[in-house]
């Protein structure tokens, strides 16, 4: 076999090897960090506030304060929120999640006035509201989607 053909085969093998390594690294990132989130357009990125906007919805009655926790099959379970409700994998959590990406005590949902305030409790994989990671306490309006680990929670 000519030397040129051997060198071409070597180069193709190295390219295939790098493509394989790239695929493995991307797959590992998806399992560790979660699926990639689309970034907002450059024109709206600067205008997007860190906290979700509050709306002018009427105050909630105490019996209306609740969250819907969706399981892996997408079936919601409603949990009333009075005071503070902690979500996580651990036995000390008020709502135990079957989610390997959730921490023992991942996030808390607290009634403050007519709103529910969400707080990340120092979780490993973080908590997102409306697609943005949160630090500390953030007010959430009804209809807001909160991601705890990989579990979807909707404020009602």
């Amino acid at each position: 076999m000519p030397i040129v053909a051997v060198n071409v085969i070597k180069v193709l093998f190295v390219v295939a090897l790098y493509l394989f390594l790239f695929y493995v690294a991307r797959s590992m990132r998806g399992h560790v960090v979660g699926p990639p989130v689309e970034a907002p357009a450059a024109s709206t990125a600067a205008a997007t506030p860190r906290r979700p906007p509050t709306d002018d919805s009427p105050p909630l009655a105490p019996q209306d304060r609740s969250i819907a926790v969706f399981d892996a099959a997408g079936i919601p379970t409603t949990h009333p929120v009075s005071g503070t409700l902690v979500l996580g994998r651990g036995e000390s959590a008020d709502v135990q999640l079957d989610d390997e990406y959730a921490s023992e005590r991942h996030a808390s949902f607290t009634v403050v006035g007519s709103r529910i305030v969400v707080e990340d409790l120092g979780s490993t994989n973080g908590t997102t509201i409306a697609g943005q990671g949160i630090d500390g306490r953030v007010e959430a309006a009804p209809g807001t989607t909160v991601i705890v680990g990989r579990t979807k929670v909707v404020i009602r």
Side-chain angles (χ1 to χ4, degrees), residues 31-137:
H31 288 289
V32 173
V33 178
V37 178
E38 285 186 28
S43 62
T44 61
T48 303
R50 180 78 172 138
R51 295 172 60 139
T54 58
D55 62 357
D56 294 329
S57 59
L60 298 172
Q63 67 272 18
D64 293 338
R65 295 183 186 123
S66 65
I67 59 172
V69 179
F70 291 80
D71 64 10
I75 300 170
T77 305
T78 301
H79 300 275
V81 180
S82 58
T84 299
L85 188 69
V86 176
L87 275 67
R89 261 191 351 220
E91 292 181 14
S92 65
D94 299 317
V95 177
Q96 293 181 355
L97 303 175
D98 184 23
D99 182 351
E100 61 189 28
Y101 290 89
S103 297
E104 297 281 321
R105 293 175 50 87
H106 195 103
S108 69
F109 293 76
T110 305
V111 175
V112 176
S114 64
R115 299 288 182 180
I116 291 181
V117 174
V118 181
E119 181 178 10
D120 183 78
L121 300 175
S123 64
T124 303
N125 291 319
T127 303
T128 61
I129 295 181
Q132 297 210 5
I134 64 168
D135 291 324
R137 299 168 55 102

